[in-house]
Amino acid sequence: DAGITQSPRHKVTETGTPVTLRCHQTENHRYMYWYRQDPGHGLRLIHYSYGVKDTDKGEVSDGYSVSRSKTEDFLLTLESATSSQTSVYFCAISVGGKNYGYTFGSGTRLTVV
Amino acid sequence: GQQVMQIPQYQHVQEGEDFTTYCNSSTTLSNIQWYKQRPGGHPVFLIQLVKSGEVKKQKRLTFQFGEAKKNSSLHITATQTTDVGTYFCAGTHNAGNMLTFGGGTRLMVKP
């Protein structure tokens, strides 16, 4: 879908280690988003970006940071992973303009042990 | 924060039966979007509604946006096994604000 890929697809990491998830798009879209999905909570916004070096916090940003040094890449970093960050992480791009018709990546399943 | 509530959480239906999921907000929404996520997959955008009272159809799926722009529904006529998945609504409370997703309704269809 719309040339959006996430890596890695699966990762197991230990508590306290830093982890970086990558979202890559090939179509030069301006708006990119990171969500986490947990049972009973639906999709919750972690961080978003409106362009290179233009990022902001979502509703569950504590413990996460992001960077966007190139239009095509949006990186999500867990500074010191905790078990509560075990989740499925989805990157999304807005292909029709801001907040319209998100295209999601295939997700990264992260387990913190 | 502003929330979008979705009911029911789960729905089991027999193939051929109809299905409806409802989405409600305590405040007016600028727009409402619907997504479908197959088991093990990622959410896929289905449609956006913007106007008060708007109704849109996609084959067996009918989407409605309430007159007060505080609620929405997705109705599937004569469900099929291919309809299995979780259906999410998502809305923005002010133009330009972030999308807020509902908790989703998981649809299971018995053949």
Side-chain angles (χ1 to χ4, degrees), chain A residues 33-108:
Chain A
Y33 311 84
W34 275 107
Y35 284 86
R36 61 177 290 174
Q37 185 173 36
D38 305 287
H41 290 279
L43 291 150
R44 293 182 291 174
L45 181 65
I46 307 171
H47 280 279
Y48 59 96
S49 170
Y50 286 168
V52 173
K53 297 185 180 178
D54 184 2
T55 65
D56 209 343
K57 297 178 180 180
E59 63 174 304
V60 291
S61 60
D62 286 350
Y64 302 94
S65 62
V66 290
S67 67
R68 194 163 178 205
S69 57
K70 298 184 290 185
T71 300
E72 58 266 36
D73 288 323
F74 192 29
L75 304 179
L76 176 71
T77 297
L78 288 65
E79 293 141 8
S80 177
T82 66
S83 58
S84 64
Q85 293 176 312
T86 292
S87 186
V88 179
Y89 291 86
F90 287 104
C91 174
I93 57 177
S94 184
V95 299
K98 185 177 173 183
N99 295 333
Y100 176 84
Y102 288 7
T103 295
F104 284 84
S106 298
T108 295

